[in-house]
Amino acid sequence: EPEVTQTPSHQVTQMGQEVILRCVPISNHLYFYWYRQILGQKVEFLVSFYNNEISEKSEIFDDQFSVERPDGSNFTLKIRSTKLEDSAMYFCASRREAGSGSTDTQYFGPGTRLTVL
Amino acid sequence: TQLLEQSPQFLSIQEGENLTVYCNSSSVFSSLQWYRQEPGEGPVLLVTVVTGGEVKKLKRLTFQFGDARKDSSLHITAAQPGDTGLYLCAGARNFNKFYFGSGTKLNVKP
């Protein structure tokens, strides 16, 4: 069964460093998302992406964050200068198409645990 | 701002009991999804409801979307230890942005 994959599974970085989190969405999916989940807290929406541009972003997704689909398979989240409070689990998700169909499913990857020291 | 409130936060019950988890908001959503998340893993979608008043069943799980599309409930009949996990609801105003609730941690004791 196709699945969303994410690398690395765990990233440790120093405060102020840039990190790139990588995701490979399911191949025929068109809509991509990044979420984060700080330990013990709820899942928070960061950004959605369609047709090579951002569809929507949250207030968390400031100038320090960027997303890119550099080729036909990868979807990346870059944090330019990491802060301690960026430590969290970051989840990528993809869906085939948007619409009112109730069978449309958002598939989540296993996540990347980012630790900022 | 907590757009979606889930209750209860924690629930510990015996195997065989029934339970209901609630997801409430003052906002209207075009759709609402329920997920289950295991520790260290990503959320897994259980169901999407889109029509006010809609009821969906998934084996022993029954999901309902409120008539006004502001709230939802998840009812589990005859809970089993395998149902243990974190249950999340997420509302969408369109399919570009999802708001997650804080989750209900369910523990079913054998």
Side-chain angles (χ1 to χ4, degrees):
Chain A
E1 187 175 317
E3 58 184 16
V4 177
T5 59
Q6 289 185 245
T7 54
S9 56
H10 192 186
Q11 173 93 47
V12 181
T13 190
Q14 294 290 328
M15 190 169 59
Q17 294 295 304
E18 174 184 286
V19 293
I20 297 176
L21 309 183
R22 300 180 193 280
C23 168
V24 179
I26 295 172
S27 63
N28 63 347
H29 284 194
L30 302 176
Y31 294 80
F32 314 114
Y33 307 84
W34 281 103
Y35 295 84
R36 79 172 185 191
Q37 187 175 31
I38 295 170
L39 187 64
Q41 297 187 24
K42 66 177 182 177
V43 176
E44 298 174 290
F45 169 84
L46 292 178
V47 67
S48 57
F49 191 86
Y50 169 71
N51 200 25
N52 281 320
E53 58 184 30
I54 290 173
S55 303
E56 193 135 6
K57 59 184 180 179
S58 72
E59 52 278 2
I60 302 167
F61 195 88
D62 60 22
D63 291 344
Q64 291 300 308
F65 291 87
S66 62
V67 288
E68 197 178 29
R69 189 151 161 82
D71 52 44
S73 59
N74 289 284
F75 179 50
T76 61
L77 174 69
K78 183 194 288 187
I79 309 175
R80 289 192 182 83
S81 179
T82 50
K83 302 189 277 280
L84 294 176
E85 53 265 37
D86 292 328
S87 293
M89 195 77 156
Y90 287 81
F91 293 107
C92 171
S94 70
R95 66 192 293 147
R96 186 166 51 87
E97 58 187 76
S100 59
S102 60
T103 57
D104 203 16
T105 300
Q106 188 175 200
Y107 292 89
F108 279 77
T112 292
R113 181 170 298 285
L114 177 65
T115 301
V116 183
L117 303 175
Chain B
T1 306
Q2 278 277 27
L3 265 184
L4 277 169
E5 298 275 353
Q6 278 188 247
S7 61
Q9 272 189 291
F10 302 96
L11 193 54
S12 184
I13 60 171
Q14 290 294 137
E15 182 176 0
E17 291 183 10
N18 301 332
L19 67 115
T20 303
V21 175
Y22 299 94
C23 178
N24 295 304
S25 176
S26 56
S27 302
V28 176
F29 293 102
S30 56
S31 70
L32 197 135
Q33 303 183 320
W34 283 93
Y35 294 84
R36 181 172 152 179
Q37 185 180 23
E38 301 295 337
E41 297 181 14
V44 175
L45 182 71
L46 297 173
V47 78
T48 300
V49 285
V50 295
T51 307
E54 183 175 1
V55 176
K56 281 196 170 177
K57 288 186 187 254
L58 192 69
K59 297 183 183 176
R60 293 176 294 100
L61 277 60
T62 302
F63 304 86
Q64 183 159 13
F65 202 11
D67 291 340
R69 289 186 289 131
K70 292 182 181 180
D71 52 81
S72 181
S73 63
L74 156 61
H75 182 79
I76 301 179
T77 305
Q80 298 175 2
D83 296 327
T84 292
L86 179 66
Y87 290 83
L88 302 167
C89 65
R93 293 212 182 102
N94 54 50
F95 283 90
N96 288 327
K97 187 172 185 177
F98 293 83
Y99 302 87
F100 275 80
S102 51
T104 293
K105 193 169 283 190
L106 172 66
N107 179 37
V108 182
K109 294 175 281 189

